[in-house]
Amino acid sequence: MSALLTVLAALIASGVCAYHRTSLRVWAVATPIVTLVVGLLLQTPWTTVILLIIELAIAVPLLMVPFRRQQISAPLLKLFAKVTPTLSDTEQTALDAGTVGFEGELFSGKPDWHVLLSQPKPSLNAEEQAFMDGPVEELCAMLDDWQITHELADLPPNVWEFIKKNKFFGMIIPKRYNGLEFSALAHSAVLQKLASMSPTAASTVAVPNSLGPAELLLHYGTEAQKDHYLPRLAVGEEIPCFALTGPYAGSDATSLTDFGIVCKQTVDGHETLGIKLTFDKRYITLAPVATVVGLAFRLYDPDKLLGDKADLGITLALLPRSTPGLQIGRRHFPLNVPFQNGPLHGKDVFVPMSTLIGGPHMAGQGWRMLVEVLSVGRAISLPSNATGGVRSAVASTGAYARMRKQFGLAIARFEGVEEALARIGGLTYATAALSRATAAAVDRGEKPAVTSAIAKYHTTEFGRTVAGDAMDVHGGKAVQLGPKNYAGRAWEGVPIAITVEGANIMTRSLMIFGQGAIRCHPYVLKEMQALSISDREEQLQTFDRALFGHIGFGLSNAVRAFTLGLTGSRIGATAGDAYTRRYYRKLNRYSAALALCADVFMGVLGGKLKFKEKLSARLGDVLSYLYIASAMLKRYEDTGRPEADRPLLAWAFHECVWRMQMALDGAIRNFPVRPVGWLLRVLVFPFGRREVPPSDRLGRRVAALITAPGEARDRLLEWVYLTPTANNTIGRMHALLPEVIAAEPIERKFAKALKAGQFSSHDYVEQLAEAQQQGVISAADLVLLKRVHQAVFEFISVDDFDSAELRAAVTRADSEKASQAA
């Protein structure tokens, strides 16, 4: 027994060093001392000697750095070079393009929460707030979504003019070019508010401020191109689109079949060096109305007119709409959300070299240009539109569930509806925090490649869930399209957000962990970069440092994951107050578990992990939910730790942690090397899966918060258009909600009297009059009940049409005849 205790003491000493990530020297001193002291106390000389020999046999060679490099690191470097998959140029460009923010801490296994909490609180400046209170409010008051989606299949001309006049297309353009030069947070706020009224308007405004000509010109354009285009783009004199996707290149944008050939051609009597373009693009937002087209294509120079290379690679150009041979103007019809979107084509379209973004010297740099700016646009546009949509669902569904009565009760009181309301509230809290976090990262100067993919995927997936729940709660009200239906078009448009800017299936299975594992890991990229160092001695030194740092990192995460799992995440100094400290500790545990599993998966599977997309997707889910939970905690801190928000935070946090657990469980359970999977399960889940989804009781509290006025609901509805104008049903429902609640106790008195048979009439209004006469309700009560009843009837009503109204004004046959005649 004494011998076992001595061994246990040595293991604990090593474990403490690993847990706290002490240096190798500290371990080499501390562990033998503990072994010696415990051995002397317990009088186990032989066990102590054997342990000391083992410890010194490990420590001495590792501390002799020259010996370690030559005898251990050098052979491992050769092996590493053989098994490490070679990154393609496009993969390397993508890795080099972005930056790493707090997600790097989450991948460390030991996050420094001070890094997160010391980040400045995101807020709008006075000019941005004035724009939100002025032009954005005015624009929302002009939007009639039924008119846009059904009658016009477009924004009305006065809306287009207002958008241009007030520089909605110039939010990212600097003031020196007559733009607004807004922060990413303001950009996000504008889109959220517009999305709460019209997804079509939000998409129309989003695209010129996302990946497109303005963003590309700002980063890579020549001064002449900037001076010419940016002032025009800012005021809508030019409307941009960017053409990347084609029939054979969707999510795999590097497989472009569109091409350009460098050649000379006589133009206006002069021999001109240019490019002959052939392209076939589709799904291009704003293409039908665009006046300037950003075009991605592969550039070839067979006659070597620009240099020695024949295949220059992906290249970007700007084509005016008037370019001869450019076929543009027809429209796609994306699921009844009629933002301008369509194809464009061209065959042997000649353009001068001056159309290349950045000029001729940027030929072949298109992929780098795209990946460097794509993350910024993806971090804002779709997450913001999704956030506006889910916030709007809170406003409408929370109010409707309190107004709509069945079986004498507001449907919000039914547990099935309550469950859906809890998801709407909790996921909206998470979505708002996530979109806010990514916008703040952009404002800090980051190029958040990994977290923009997280934001795009999860905000749109949360949006899908919330839209479905909103439809379920509204029932038939949401099914019947018409001017009174504010939910149906949002539901129809969900797959659009899921699909664009990188289909969600691809984003989850290839991008989040695929890039995150290399970008965020503190050692993998350094080890890979060591392979490209030409100087042998420098290469070995670099690899040696990274390798043994990596080994210590892996051992530490194994100890931390096991210890924190064994203790139920109840130990360790961390951030937060008495309420949130337990949350930070949970994240510490799962951060260590993710880092451990990622190391083991990459170490055992090597390059094969790239093709194990389901495993990568699950590990990506863990990273995603760690980031989302961190964003929620930061939001909670930035808003002053409001007690009213705690049910929302708790629901969303427990949902994230439960999903993390299930993702890790799925990854370990499906790991192809079973003995390794068994060991991981012991380290990560020493007591099995103990996390549970949010409880029914917690869900009830969340549902109560979103179905009644209050500060928590108000914060969820930030940047939703709530002005109770004639075109804003949701705003009028929100305004009525306090009166609906005030009427409830009066309605209960009235219902009790009705059940007792006190009224002779069957008409509701006459029954109210009888109730007043009998003293059941007061005159003021009668006025309130009449007003609420009348208003609620409007909100629960649906539309109906004459059959002729539903027929297309122009049939497909009519269109084909017109085309043939033309």
Side-chain angles (χ1 to χ4, degrees):
M1 179 60 72
S2 297
L4 287 176
L5 290 175
T6 304
V7 173
L8 184 61
L11 290 175
I12 290 174
S14 296
V16 170
C17 289
Y19 183 91
H20 291 288
R21 297 188 177 173
T22 65
S23 68
L24 179 61
R25 292 180 185 277
V26 171
W27 173 82
V29 172
T31 303
I33 289 175
V34 170
T35 302
L36 184 60
V37 170
V38 174
L40 290 173
L41 290 173
L42 297 178
Q43 299 180 356
T44 55
W46 288 109
T47 302
T48 303
V49 169
I50 293 170
L51 287 173
L52 288 173
I53 290 172
I54 294 172
E55 290 162 3
L56 292 173
I58 295 171
V60 172
L62 296 183
L63 289 172
M64 296 169 61
V65 177
F67 173 85
R68 183 183 76 192
R69 286 177 185 161
Q70 296 302 323
Q71 301 304 316
I72 302 175
S73 297
L76 290 176
L77 175 59
K78 292 179 182 178
L79 178 63
F80 185 72
K82 288 181 181 179
V83 301
T84 300
T86 302
L87 292 176
S88 67
D89 290 341
T90 55
E91 288 175 319
Q92 188 62 56
T93 299
L95 284 174
D96 293 340
T99 59
V100 176
F102 188 72
E103 66 273 19
E105 290 289 332
L106 296 173
F107 220 102
S108 72
K110 190 182 179 183
D112 183 352
W113 296 109
H114 176 73
V115 173
L116 175 71
L117 299 180
S118 64
Q119 292 170 355
K121 174 185 175 181
S123 60
L124 304 181
N125 63 33
E127 182 182 2
E128 293 165 344
Q129 188 60 57
F131 190 79
M132 289 290 292
D133 296 338
V136 180
E137 278 276 319
E138 292 180 53
L139 177 55
C140 287
M142 299 167 68
L143 298 173
D144 180 336
D145 201 51
W146 179 250
Q147 179 194 41
I148 292 167
T149 60
H150 184 75
E151 296 173 0
L152 300 178
D154 192 8
L155 300 176
N158 65 317
V159 170
W160 276 105
E161 186 58 34
F162 187 88
I163 287 172
K164 295 175 183 179
K165 179 183 176 182
N166 287 276
K167 304 182 183 179
F168 279 83
F169 291 160
M171 286 191 286
I172 66 169
I173 295 176
K175 291 180 179 178
R176 66 179 181 275
Y177 296 112
N178 202 25
L180 294 174
E181 198 173 348
F182 278 173
S183 65
L185 184 70
H187 178 185
S188 177
V190 170
L191 294 182
Q192 288 184 44
K193 199 161 199 173
L194 294 180
S196 72
M197 277 300 289
S198 168
T200 303
S203 298
T204 301
V205 171
V207 168
N209 292 288
S210 182
L211 173 63
E215 184 82 17
L216 291 164
L217 285 169
L218 283 169
H219 286 85
Y220 311 107
T222 66
E223 290 306 313
Q225 289 172 335
K226 292 178 184 178
D227 290 340
H228 175 78
Y229 282 112
L230 290 177
R232 291 171 169 80
L233 290 168
V235 297
E237 186 178 334
E238 298 276 12
I239 297 178
C241 72
F242 186 76
L244 177 62
T245 304
Y248 302 103
S251 296
D252 180 13
T254 60
S255 298
L256 290 172
T257 56
D258 312 288
F259 63 90
I261 305 295
V262 179
C263 61
K264 292 181 180 180
Q265 184 168 309
T266 301
V267 178
D268 297 331
H270 300 283
E271 187 178 64
T272 303
L273 179 65
I275 305 165
K276 192 169 286 187
L277 294 164
T278 296
F279 50 90
D280 182 12
K281 302 291 190 180
R282 63 182 183 180
Y283 312 150
I284 311 305
T285 300
L286 293 186
V289 296
T291 61
V292 59
V293 176
L295 186 72
F297 58 93
R298 195 166 193 92
L299 182 62
Y300 298 94
D301 185 10
D303 298 327
K304 309 290 181 66
L305 298 176
L306 298 181
D308 297 331
K309 291 179 67 175
D311 182 356
L312 296 174
I314 295 175
T315 302
L316 309 182
L318 282 180
L319 279 61
R321 188 185 183 96
S322 58
T323 301
L326 173 60
Q327 300 173 41
I328 188 172
R330 290 187 65 81
R331 294 180 63 178
H332 298 310
F333 191 31
L335 290 173
N336 285 324
V337 183
F339 57 93
Q340 293 285 338
N341 183 273
L344 52 90
H345 318 278
K347 182 173 176 58
D348 295 333
V349 176
F350 183 81
V351 295
M353 295 300 295
S354 60
T355 60
L356 295 187
I357 297 177
H361 75 282
M362 294 300 287
Q365 299 298 308
W367 178 242
R368 177 177 66 84
M369 295 159 70
L370 287 174
V371 295
E372 285 180 349
V373 302
L374 177 62
S375 62
V376 175
R378 187 164 50 200
I380 305 299
S381 299
L382 286 167
S384 301
N385 287 358
T387 304
V390 297
R391 288 184 191 272
S392 181
V394 169
S396 62
T397 314
Y400 184 84
R402 197 67 181 259
M403 294 176 186
R404 179 64 165 154
K405 302 292 195 300
Q406 294 285 277
F407 306 103
L409 288 174
I411 61 172
R413 303 298 186 195
F414 294 92
E415 288 198 353
V417 173
E418 190 180 80
E419 189 174 28
L421 291 171
R423 279 194 298 270
I424 291 172
L427 293 181
T428 297
Y429 189 88
T431 303
L434 178 54
S435 65
R436 182 177 177 273
T438 49
V442 173
D443 282 333
R444 291 194 301 271
E446 296 178 24
K447 294 180 179 178
V450 175
T451 54
S452 67
I454 291 172
K456 189 274 173 181
Y457 175 81
H458 287 280
T459 57
T460 55
E461 289 294 339
F462 289 166
R464 178 181 355 216
T465 301
V466 169
D469 282 329
M471 291 290 292
D472 286 350
V473 173
H474 282 84
K477 163 71 178 177
V479 171
Q480 304 300 332
L481 288 176
K484 295 184 176 75
N485 188 333
Y486 43 78
R489 293 300 193 205
W491 171 246
E492 286 184 316
V494 162
I496 300 172
I498 297 292
T499 302
V500 300
E501 290 196 26
N504 275 9
I505 288 177
M506 305 294 286
T507 300
R508 175 175 178 259
S509 59
L510 294 179
M511 292 182 63
I512 295 175
F513 182 77
Q515 290 193 23
I518 297 176
R519 284 179 185 275
C520 301
H521 197 289
Y523 297 105
V524 168
L525 189 57
K526 294 175 183 177
E527 290 165 339
M528 296 177 70
Q529 289 172 337
L531 297 178
S532 63
I533 299 174
S534 56
D535 182 88
R536 170 67 180 172
E537 186 62 29
E538 182 185 354
Q539 181 188 54
L540 187 56
Q541 289 180 10
T542 303
F543 181 76
D544 175 80
R545 284 193 300 271
L547 173 64
F548 282 93
H550 195 161
I551 292 172
F553 176 77
L555 291 172
S556 173
N557 285 320
V559 172
R560 289 181 63 81
F562 182 71
T563 303
L564 293 171
L566 206 60
T567 60
S569 310
R570 290 183 176 87
I571 65 169
T574 191
D577 58 15
Y579 179 75
T580 58
R581 198 168 293 124
R582 53 187 170 148
Y583 294 160
Y584 288 100
R585 285 180 176 143
K586 285 272 189 189
L587 298 187
N588 285 341
R589 175 192 175 184
Y590 284 98
S591 172
L594 170 64
L596 171 64
C597 289
D599 266 338
V600 171
F601 280 37
M602 288 189 289
V604 175
L605 298 180
K608 293 180 182 178
L609 181 58
K610 184 177 179 180
F611 304 102
K612 297 288 186 181
E613 295 173 21
K614 286 178 278 190
L615 294 180
S616 292
R618 292 182 180 110
L619 293 179
D621 288 344
V622 181
L623 176 60
S624 295
Y625 291 122
L626 281 167
Y627 184 74
I628 294 167
S630 302
M632 293 189 300
L633 289 169
K634 180 66 164 68
R635 181 188 191 274
Y636 177 74
E637 294 288 340
D638 284 346
T639 51
R641 300 176 175 176
E643 188 172 345
D645 283 9
R646 286 181 180 179
L648 293 163
L649 172 62
W651 192 101
F653 187 88
H654 288 303
E655 180 73 11
C656 282
V657 172
W658 180 73
R659 292 189 185 196
M660 272 188 264
Q661 170 190 260
M662 300 311 294
L664 279 171
D665 174 69
I668 293 170
R669 183 159 32 86
N670 289 281
F671 192 69
V673 184
R674 298 309 304 139
V676 175
W678 298 334
L679 177 60
L680 278 175
R681 182 167 295 282
V682 170
L683 293 173
V684 174
F685 299 118
F687 290 132
R689 302 191 308 264
R690 306 299 296 271
E691 310 294 351
V692 294
S695 68
D696 292 347
R697 181 182 178 186
L698 184 56
R700 186 174 303 114
R701 294 175 66 193
V702 171
L705 284 178
I706 71 168
T707 54
E711 57 174 301
R713 177 180 157 95
D714 289 345
R715 273 187 289 272
L716 280 184
L717 301 187
E718 184 182 26
W719 300 333
V720 173
Y721 180 64
L722 293 173
T723 306
T725 51
N727 68 323
N728 188 13
T729 303
I730 295 174
R732 286 183 282 116
M733 290 171 67
H734 175 75
L736 182 68
L737 185 56
E739 288 193 306
V740 170
I741 294 172
E744 287 178 345
I746 307 170
E747 289 175 333
R748 285 194 290 270
K749 289 191 295 183
F750 174 78
K752 184 177 180 181
L754 180 63
K755 188 176 181 181
Q758 293 180 224
F759 311 134
S760 59
S761 175
H762 298 290
D763 179 77
Y764 179 74
V765 175
E766 292 177 0
Q767 288 173 343
L768 288 180
E770 287 186 58
Q772 183 191 359
Q773 291 169 3
Q774 296 176 23
V776 175
I777 61 175
S778 68
D781 292 340
L782 181 136
V783 171
L784 176 61
L785 289 182
K786 276 187 176 180
R787 185 166 63 246
V788 168
H789 182 76
Q790 183 178 3
V792 168
F793 179 75
E794 176 200 351
F795 298 139
I796 66 174
S797 295
V798 297
D799 297 282
D800 51 73
F801 303 89
D802 186 275
S803 294
E805 294 180 77
L806 299 179
R807 297 192 190 107
V810 179
T811 67
R812 186 175 181 183
D814 293 336
S815 180
E816 289 174 352
K817 287 178 184 177
S819 297
Q820 291 170 1

